[in-house]
Amino acid sequence: MGLADKMNKKSWLLETANKGLSLLHDEKPIIYIFYARALLYSFFIWKLLSRDYRLFTFAPDNVLNIYSVDTFTAFQNYTFMGRGWLVDLVTFHWVHWILPFPNYQIMEIIYFSTILLCAVNVIIGRGKNNVFSIAAFCLLSYLWGFNWRTGADVDAVFIPLQAALVITLFKGADNPVWRKECFSLKPDREAGFLYSMMLIVFISYYQLSGFNKIIDVSLYEWFAYDLFTQMVDHKYYALAGWHIAINPLPLKIASYFPAWLIDFSVVLVYFSHLTTFMMYFNRHLIAKFMYFYWAFHFVSTGLGIWFSGLLVFWLIFLPVWRFFETIDVFYDPSIPGDKALASAIRSLDFLNKIVLQERSGGFFIRYGDGNQVFQKHIAICRIAWLLPSMWFFLPLLYLPLVARGLSKLFDLLTALFDKR
Amino acid sequence: VSFVVGMAVFMFWFPGGYLPPFYNGIAGWSFNANERHYDTDKRFVPGLQIITEDGQRQWFSYGIISPINFVMRHHLAFKRKYPENIDDIYGFYFVAYCHNFDLLETGYYPNQRYLGRFSYPGHTPYINLEYQNFNPKNIASLELVTELRSVKTKIVEKRYVQYRYDVPDTLKNGSCGQNE
């Protein structure tokens, strides 16, 4: 490699590192801080109300002594770090080196206190010096400690738990839900930092899984995974009276496609794991990855595996502020298509978030700050955020192919009306 | 940032990185079908079962011991680590069943106690099973079985019992583990 190549490589790396650092605090509206905490702790309330941790009080001590190092075989083992003493240290189970496990009544207090603390975090916020989020994190870690010592929990829960840790260490503004600052649309570096950190949590989860796909399985195995047969096999298990519920829908849909294509989707999943870091540098990819993983996790329900938490928790990236913004919509009344569109918007704008203005030169929208202007299907998508009757269709509008189709349709209609 | 990113990098470099809430990602999967997977007539169905005094059987759904997600993973590891105390884990299964029976007989699993059908599903969700005829007082034993079943009729053609746990009377007539 010549000196020029080395210099170029070095400057590319520096440029990427600089971009990464500048994106870390890429501003987001303050409302995101409230949204992130509300979604996170609501998620835990939902999960805790669906998991009765009091059950562990019936278990003898040895039943609660099965750590990851005991559970996993050599191929996947956590020989060094899955050890009891280390897991106990980080889950506050070290208290049981001295104290006995809680009885039913004490566990009930711990269990409902955790739920209450999650509710406090949603409504009041992290509290002075993050006292509420610290307490919630400690209790969540403690409760999940029982999972780690009984054969481990679903790996997907690592994402919300890491997100809880991020919020616990977060130093940005925080307001109770009754303060209007909580819903402020003012761009904020700290809110942007929180958003970036949530991205890093997701990327760590998927990216590290991607690296494992290189370490654990050969390239041959990437292409040898017989997913379609596995789905059919699970269907037969269900028919034979298995006690695990298999969602029949993925196989029904898969049956319309050639089996090799279904098998090839595994390769795409492995590859996607390796490319998740791109979401950080190109935030437009977040929605695409989200749809991809929603599809992937939907397919896994056909194998009796439900990643319900991940399906929901991807919503942490929902640009919730768009529901609250106001926009100016400019349209040319001499163009019949624009006029019809403006008329439809006027009739659907129940929240009075849109100001319609006549202006020659085509259809576009402009945000209040005047800096952001959008045309074509992006304008339509942004308008849909402000029209309650369109909220149901919002996820569809952002589907990659739909967005492209809409763009083409918009071009076609514009050309058609221009000719007239 | 440096802490969270540092932990992620550490998990990558450290084989078997595992320090809740950090770990080194889902392992690679592989699945190679063999002739058993292509069999359209029969399946070997594994699981735990409860058996009444008069010989009725029902699957012991893994939902009964939620929040434990990977029941068999836990079970096998326990068997490896405490082979001489295997009855301890079955005793726990029974007490959990007994404790949750009031809910199970209404058609709900413990994870549905508060939110019903809107509850967070189990990682490997459970089919709805009927437990009305399986009052804990009438349960004679728990068994770990593999059944050879017909795909078309669900009829059990053969049953292989790997382990049988006879429920002691003290557990059946106790208070389902509460306050004990």
Side-chain angles (χ1 to χ4, degrees):
Chain A
M1 190 185 283
L3 186 63
D5 289 338
K6 276 185 185 168
M7 292 292 283
N8 277 341
K9 196 176 175 188
K10 201 173 171 186
S11 78
W12 178 83
L13 278 171
L14 274 174
E15 206 176 289
T16 308
N18 280 335
K19 190 181 177 189
L21 282 175
S22 65
L23 278 169
L24 193 61
H25 287 92
D26 190 31
E27 291 180 338
K28 293 278 179 246
I30 287 174
I31 189 177
Y32 180 73
I33 298 174
F34 165 68
Y35 172 67
R37 87 170 194 237
L39 182 77
L40 173 72
Y41 291 107
S42 301
F43 170 84
F44 274 118
I45 292 170
W46 180 45
K47 179 127 187 166
L48 284 169
L49 286 173
S50 311
R51 299 286 185 271
D52 189 351
Y53 277 85
R54 293 169 294 187
L55 180 106
F56 289 106
T57 61
F58 302 135
D61 287 5
N62 55 5
V63 170
L64 297 177
N65 201 24
I66 306 298
Y67 291 91
S68 299
V69 71
D70 307 307
T71 309
F72 294 95
T73 53
F75 178 65
Q76 303 168 301
N77 75 28
Y78 297 102
T79 308
F80 184 75
M81 298 190 76
R83 300 206 168 266
W85 66 271
L86 202 53
V87 175
D88 283 357
L89 275 178
V90 292
T91 57
F92 305 96
H93 276 237
W94 51 265
V95 297
H96 300 307
W97 298 347
I98 305 157
L99 300 173
F101 287 112
N103 64 18
Y104 191 87
Q105 286 74 19
I106 291 175
M107 186 61 120
E108 190 161 78
I109 292 169
I110 295 170
Y111 174 62
F112 284 112
S113 298
T114 313
I115 294 169
L116 184 68
L117 262 169
C118 287
V120 165
N121 272 283
V122 172
I123 298 163
I124 299 176
R126 305 194 306 276
K128 196 176 178 188
N129 297 325
N130 289 5
V131 64
F132 296 140
S133 57
I134 291 170
F137 181 74
C138 294
L139 287 176
L140 288 168
S141 293
Y142 176 76
L143 289 179
W144 255 270
F146 284 96
N147 284 96
W148 311 137
R149 62 190 306 158
T150 52
D153 196 2
V154 178
D155 29 44
V157 82
F158 285 110
I159 285 186
L161 282 173
Q162 282 180 33
L165 180 62
V166 166
I167 288 203
T168 300
L169 301 173
F170 182 59
K171 290 179 181 151
D174 191 31
N175 289 290
V177 73
W178 56 84
R179 292 246 180 93
K180 67 176 182 186
E181 292 92 328
C182 207
F183 302 95
S184 169
L185 298 175
K186 195 176 152 197
D188 181 65
R189 276 170 58 82
E190 288 300 325
F193 172 72
L194 185 61
Y195 190 89
S196 296
M197 286 307 297
M198 292 299 169
L199 253 177
I200 289 172
V201 165
F202 265 75
I203 290 168
S204 302
Y205 174 80
Y206 286 105
Q207 192 71 46
L208 291 176
S209 301
F211 292 140
N212 284 347
K213 303 298 180 285
I214 300 174
I215 298 164
D216 296 344
V217 288
S218 65
L219 197 60
Y220 166 77
E221 284 170 301
W222 277 43
F223 290 90
Y225 200 105
D226 200 344
L227 179 62
F228 189 80
T229 304
Q230 196 182 22
M231 288 166 86
V232 174
D233 180 47
H234 277 71
K235 182 186 96 170
Y236 286 134
Y237 267 105
L239 290 173
W242 202 19
H243 49 94
I244 304 287
I246 303 296
N247 182 3
L249 205 55
L251 180 61
K252 273 185 191 163
I253 295 170
S255 302
Y256 290 105
F257 299 93
W260 65 264
L261 191 62
I262 303 302
D263 295 346
F264 186 70
S265 68
V266 174
V267 180
L268 294 180
V269 170
Y270 287 178
F271 183 72
S272 76
H273 280 0
L274 285 167
T275 55
T276 41
F277 72 94
M278 288 163 62
M279 284 195 296
Y280 184 85
F281 295 98
N282 184 353
R283 308 285 168 100
H284 294 294
L285 291 175
I286 295 172
K288 293 179 175 66
F289 272 99
M290 182 185 77
Y291 283 118
F292 182 79
Y293 283 114
W294 274 357
F296 162 52
H297 295 313
F298 169 72
V299 170
S300 74
T301 64
L303 303 175
I305 301 169
W306 287 71
F307 283 99
S308 320
L310 281 181
L311 288 171
V312 173
F313 211 65
W314 267 100
L315 294 177
I316 198 85
F317 301 116
L318 190 74
V320 68
W321 52 90
R322 290 205 183 128
F323 289 118
F324 300 89
E325 287 168 326
T326 52
I327 54 171
D328 295 318
V329 173
F330 296 91
Y331 70 101
D332 190 336
S334 65
I335 301 175
D338 282 14
K339 200 176 169 185
L341 198 56
S343 169
I345 292 165
R346 189 178 290 116
S347 60
L348 294 172
D349 182 25
F350 304 127
L351 302 176
N352 289 323
K353 293 276 185 185
I354 298 170
V355 179
L356 284 159
Q357 297 188 45
E358 294 183 4
R359 185 165 165 171
S360 62
F363 187 90
F364 67 96
I365 67 162
R366 191 178 69 191
Y367 278 87
D369 58 11
N371 293 326
Q372 296 187 75
V373 173
F374 297 102
Q375 291 178 300
K376 297 185 177 183
H377 71 288
I378 301 176
I380 303 289
C381 290
R382 293 297 177 92
I383 289 167
W385 286 87
L386 303 171
L387 306 176
S389 53
M390 292 297 289
W391 288 347
F392 181 77
F393 302 102
L394 256 178
L396 297 175
L397 291 179
Y398 281 86
L399 276 172
L401 289 176
V402 174
R404 186 162 294 196
L406 266 178
S407 182
K408 293 278 177 210
L409 184 70
F410 204 93
D411 285 346
L412 199 73
L413 289 174
T414 309
L416 193 71
F417 285 122
D418 278 354
K419 274 181 192 168
R420 285 185 184 179
Chain B
V1 185
S2 48
F3 176 66
V4 176
V5 174
M7 284 305 291
V9 172
F10 180 70
M11 288 297 149
F12 166 53
W13 287 111
F14 203 95
Y18 184 91
L19 195 67
F22 299 97
Y23 93 127
N24 74 335
I26 305 173
W29 334 299
S30 56
F31 176 77
N32 293 306
N34 60 37
E35 59 188 36
R36 266 196 1 207
H37 297 109
Y38 293 105
D39 186 348
T40 55
D41 295 330
K42 299 185 191 343
R43 279 292 175 281
F44 285 95
V45 184
L48 292 160
Q49 290 187 341
I50 48 174
I51 298 105
T52 59
E53 303 281 0
D54 57 357
Q56 287 188 75
R57 288 173 175 271
Q58 181 57 287
W59 289 114
F60 179 93
S61 171
Y62 297 161
I64 296 166
I65 44 174
S66 161
I68 297 177
N69 276 297
F70 299 108
V71 176
M72 276 302 118
R73 188 190 283 178
H74 179 228
H75 182 280
L76 289 171
F78 185 86
K79 199 174 154 191
R80 274 197 302 269
K81 194 167 182 180
Y82 300 105
E84 71 285 5
N85 300 119
I86 192 71
D87 282 356
D88 286 357
I89 201 167
Y90 282 93
F92 166 62
Y93 293 159
F94 179 77
V95 171
Y97 176 74
C98 184
H99 174 72
N100 288 314
F101 181 69
D102 59 333
L103 198 64
L104 291 167
E105 67 176 343
T106 60
Y108 288 95
Y109 283 113
N111 70 312
Q112 297 171 320
R113 185 179 290 278
Y114 299 113
L115 302 176
R117 306 287 175 214
F118 296 102
S119 66
Y120 191 111
H123 179 62
T124 42
Y126 339 104
I127 60 166
N128 287 325
L129 295 167
E130 296 200 347
Y131 288 102
Q132 290 97 324
N133 300 329
F134 294 86
N135 190 302
K137 290 194 189 323
N138 300 326
I139 301 299
S141 59
L142 268 76
E143 285 182 358
L144 177 66
V145 300
T146 298
E147 291 181 340
L148 180 63
R149 284 174 164 242
S150 160
V151 167
K152 289 192 182 76
T153 62
K154 294 186 185 175
I155 287 172
V156 179
E157 297 180 5
K158 227 173 207 177
R159 179 178 297 118
Y160 304 91
V161 179
Q162 282 117 309
Y163 190 75
R164 179 190 169 94
Y165 168 75
D166 293 315
V167 181
D169 289 341
T170 46
L171 274 187
K172 275 194 269 191
N173 301 318
S175 55
C176 294
Q178 209 160 348
N179 300 321
E180 283 177 1

